[in-house]
Every structure is written in C-alpha cells, then in structure tokens.
Amino acid sequence: MRRDQPQICDYEGSTYQETFWDQGGREYEDRAEAYALRKLLPPAGELMLEVGAGAGRNTPRYRNFKQIVVLDYSVTQLRLAQERLGRSDRYLYVAADAYRLPFQEGIFDAATMIRVLHHMADGPRVLAEVRRVTRPGGAFILEFANKRNMKAILRKALGRQSWSPFSPEPVEFVALNFNFHPRTTQAWLESAGFKPEKWLPVSHFRLGPLKRLFPAGLLVAGDAAIGALSSRFPISPSVFVRSRAGGSPKNAMPPVDFQNPASLFRCPDCGSGNLQAQPEALHCPGCGQTWHLEDGIYIFKTSSEVN
C-alpha cells in the first residue's frame, strides 16, 4: 500500500456473492436495488463505469448503455463477473483502486457506485475521482449506508448504542464498514463537483421477521410508497442518490474500442495518458510501469497489491 493510500477493503478470494447474496436471504435487498436503478438510471448512454462491481450482480441492469467498464479491486470477483456476463465488446473488466481510477478525464456518460462507499475510509477522495472521469452533465448514481436509519434511532433512544444517528460524522461500526449521514454525503458530493438531484431511500424493511413473513415484491412496493414520502428525510438503512456532474455537457463520446483501449486509460501511478499498447499489457513511458492484461482483465495493481 502506498504511503498516502487509505486502507482498502479487499474482497480478493471472498465468497461474498455466494454466502451473502446467493444463500444469504437477500432477495428483498437485491430487488430493492433493482427498483432504485430502474428509477434513477438515464434512459440511454454510450459508456458506463461501475465502481465496485464485485461479481457483476447489478451489471445486467445497465442494459441501456452500449459499453460498460466493470471495475473492482478484487481480481477474483471480476472473474466471477466474467462467468456471469461473458466476454464481449460490451464489457471491459478492470482491477483497480477506486482512489486512483486508471482512466482519462471526463470519458464516462454515467457512473454507479453501489455498496462501495461504506467501505471507503476517505469518502471525499473517492467521490472526487469518480467526478474526474465523468463528463460534465453525466449522471452518477451513488448508494450509501445511512447512519440516520430507524433502527439506529430506536437503539439510541433505548440506550443501546453510544453514537448518535443525527451527528454528521461517519461511524465505523466494524473495521472498514462505515455509515454516513445524508447531509454529510450531500456535502461530499457537492464538494466533488456533483449536483444531487434525486434521493431514493430503500430497504426500509430490512428485518429478518418481515422478510420471512412477506414476499420480497410486497416489501419493495412498500419501499416505493415510503420512499416517495421520506426522500427529503431518509430513515432507511440504504439510500440512493442521483447526481449530475457539474459543467457544460459535452457532445456524446464516440464509441470506445474495447479491443484497443489505450486511449481510455491513464497511468494511475503518474497520471500519464500516453500509455503504449503491448502484447497483453499497457506500458507507461512516463514512469516505466507496465500494467498487464490477464485472462481478459486489465490489472492496474502492482505485484505487491496482487500478491
């Protein structure tokens, strides 16, 4: 890890997709996220960046975008995404650090970051990176874990937790697992150069007994009804917010050739955008670093980070 680098929550080798999603009784949460994306995604676009894509659970929901960069820090998670999505000109798989995105400025029509911010020790820094690579006027859909949720409010009222759900600072309830106040998240987005335009609270009913008693579709319908009323003061454990990147919108970017993506990337070490294509690699003449393509995944991690 670099000296100025925040600590990273690494899912390398994790069974997260299998144990948490496939076998963990999370149908309601998954369908709630699908609902939120249907409501918030732009109707169409050329190039999408999915930050923290994991095993590609949400990626098929970006069907209105022609090309999608599937990015995660974990190579093993990206291999699972490849199994789910396949290899085609539509998807580009990239293993990289979200604090140091290996892309040119302003190239993405839209970006998403779902269930990722809550692992970020430096929220403003990662949001600034997403803004750097999003074109002016582009959409950014962020999901964050809301510390001002009903369960936390009740626990505080009953004296069962020490921290206040109403205070602005993030709370780290487990190592590298943070909850955030909506006002703080809004301030970070605005500081990064985004303009929040629509808030959508979801997962109000994230309780085991409720999920066992009622079908997921009914709970999602309840989310839709409550979310419309509570968007200005969200008290759900999960909140989506759609923002727009500041600045004057540019003309649509031409389609990116994923078979020759050197113009898409920049070196995350030195910032040079003059990467040279080599067999199964991209070389940076600026700092001498070589970034490898392994089994269809561009790996912008050093040997120490991979190992």
Side-chain angles (χ1 to χ4, degrees):
M1 187 179 301
R2 292 162 178 82
R3 184 171 300 174
D4 65 342
Q5 175 73 37
Q7 188 176 358
I8 295 174
C9 185
D10 191 354
Y11 276 69
E12 194 69 41
S14 168
T15 60
Y16 170 72
Q17 176 63 39
E18 178 183 1
T19 57
F20 188 87
W21 289 108
D22 299 340
Q23 302 173 1
R26 298 305 196 291
E27 180 189 3
Y28 161 56
E29 289 88 341
D30 182 60
R31 293 181 62 172
E33 292 182 9
Y35 161 76
L37 289 171
R38 287 196 302 271
K39 297 288 288 185
L40 298 177
L41 279 171
E46 293 288 337
L47 186 61
M48 157 78 76
L49 171 64
E50 184 179 15
V51 180
R57 177 179 58 88
N58 276 315
T59 313
R61 293 165 177 161
Y62 309 135
R63 58 180 60 91
N64 292 335
F65 283 82
K66 293 182 179 179
Q67 295 175 309
I68 302 168
V69 173
V70 183
L71 180 139
D72 201 89
Y73 190 71
S74 164
V75 175
T76 55
Q77 292 299 304
L78 290 172
R79 299 211 190 287
L80 293 174
Q82 283 181 323
E83 293 176 9
R84 178 191 300 265
L85 305 168
R87 300 191 194 184
S88 72
D89 291 344
R90 186 162 186 255
Y91 300 113
L92 187 73
Y93 300 95
V94 179
D97 173 4
Y99 291 117
R100 302 163 61 247
L101 292 173
F103 306 112
Q104 304 277 12
E105 295 185 2
I107 62 171
F108 291 100
D109 292 312
T112 65
M113 194 164 76
I114 299 168
R115 290 182 176 260
V116 175
L117 188 67
H118 72 283
H119 289 315
M120 294 294 174
D122 192 341
R125 180 169 172 174
V126 72
L127 294 177
E129 267 295 271
V130 176
R131 172 62 190 89
R132 181 183 64 79
V133 302
T134 306
R135 69 170 177 83
F140 174 43
I141 298 174
L142 172 71
E143 184 275 342
F144 67 93
N146 178 22
K147 70 179 292 189
R148 192 184 63 193
N149 63 75
M150 181 56 69
K151 182 178 179 180
I153 293 171
L154 291 175
R155 286 177 60 85
K156 179 63 175 177
L158 294 173
R160 297 176 61 185
Q161 81 184 21
S162 59
W163 52 270
S164 169
F166 301 105
S167 59
E169 71 281 352
V171 57
E172 186 176 19
F173 57 94
V174 177
L176 288 180
N177 284 262
F178 300 88
N179 285 354
F180 305 96
H181 195 284
R183 286 200 307 271
T184 300
T185 307
Q186 178 172 347
W188 288 352
L189 284 165
E190 292 173 346
S191 179
F194 287 109
K195 182 179 180 180
E197 62 180 19
K198 186 174 180 63
W199 298 75
L200 189 60
V202 297
S203 292
H204 293 83
F205 309 109
R206 192 185 292 173
L207 294 171
L210 290 178
K211 292 195 293 182
R212 288 189 291 271
L213 283 172
F214 300 102
L218 183 61
L219 296 179
V220 173
D223 262 335
I226 295 176
L229 298 174
S230 65
S231 61
R232 293 185 177 275
F233 193 85
I235 55 172
S236 61
S238 177
V239 179
F240 281 70
V241 54
R242 183 181 67 208
S243 302
R244 292 285 174 183
S248 300
K250 297 179 180 179
N251 294 328
M253 293 287 294
V256 174
D257 181 4
F258 280 177
Q259 301 301 313
N260 183 26
S263 62
L264 174 71
F265 292 117
R266 79 171 200 176
C267 178
D269 275 8
C270 70
S272 171
N274 187 30
L275 299 185
Q276 298 175 348
Q278 297 180 345
E280 302 297 305
L282 294 171
H283 178 72
C284 177
C287 66
Q289 184 65 264
T290 297
W291 308 103
H292 295 279
L293 174 64
E294 298 181 6
D295 296 326
I297 300 174
Y298 282 91
I299 301 179
F300 286 88
K301 299 165 68 173
T302 64
S303 58
S304 62
E305 290 176 298
V306 173
N307 297 329

